[in-house]
Amino acid sequence: MENIFLPPGLKSSKESGIFSGPQDRIPWLCNLHDILLREVALGQHVVLACSALKKTYRDILIRGKVGAPLHYGESRKEEKPTEVQLLVIHLSGSFEVISGRLLQRKEHFMPPSLLQSQFDTLEPPSPPENFIQISVDKNLSEIIAVIMETLKIK
């Protein structure tokens, strides 16, 4: 599926082999939070595939701009965030396995040269985050079965 929510600037940075920083990602993540809120309010069950590599990024998906870090000197009015209930599915695998799969992708915007920076940036989910971790060594049907079973329980 095309990255329909990824801003052109972020997409072109990745295509050029430039790793984007938080200043580029935060508005995009806030927008995704708003989309999640809207769809849930409409009664939809939503699946969002997103490389929210840092806990801060996942917090933004849950809380929107209230979850975003403040810049030096900024203050935030006390506002109660409108939270999204989020289950993070963390697909884990070795650099070698994921690199091999990335090299097999056709017409994907992210060049393999950025993969190491993704691994370096990754902050795997941990308690108290709501997450499950699944190895990419499992086949697709096993991965889907684990996710579906987890969703039945929650």
Side-chain angles (χ1 to χ4, degrees), residues 7-117:
L10 265 176
K11 189 173 180 182
S12 64
S13 291
K14 284 190 185 286
E15 288 171 336
S16 300
I18 301 167
F19 185 71
S20 58
Q23 71 282 358
D24 299 318
R25 292 180 161 270
I26 289 173
W28 168 61
L29 293 165
C30 287
N31 184 48
L32 292 176
H33 166 80
D34 293 343
I35 291 167
L36 291 171
L37 276 180
R38 181 189 69 218
E39 295 302 313
V40 169
L42 293 171
Q44 299 297 315
H45 296 279
V46 183
V47 174
L48 170 69
C50 172
S51 60
L53 299 173
K54 294 183 172 208
K55 182 179 183 320
T56 302
Y57 299 165
R58 298 186 292 274
D59 288 344
I60 294 169
L61 289 173
I62 294 168
R63 294 180 192 85
K65 66 182 176 188
V66 175
L70 292 174
H71 295 292
Y72 180 77
E74 278 187 326
S75 62
R76 181 176 286 133
K77 291 185 277 183
E78 286 297 316
E79 49 185 302
K80 182 164 172 40
T82 306
E83 293 191 2
V84 172
Q85 183 179 354
L86 185 71
L87 171 65
V88 174
I89 311 295
H90 176 64
L91 299 173
S92 63
S94 70
F95 182 88
E96 293 74 24
V97 167
I98 294 174
S99 178
R101 291 182 184 179
L102 184 58
L103 290 170
Q104 293 175 356
R105 283 184 176 178
K106 302 290 183 232
E107 299 181 27
H108 192 270
F109 68 92
M110 190 183 107
S113 62
L114 282 181
L115 183 60
Q116 185 61 56
S117 67

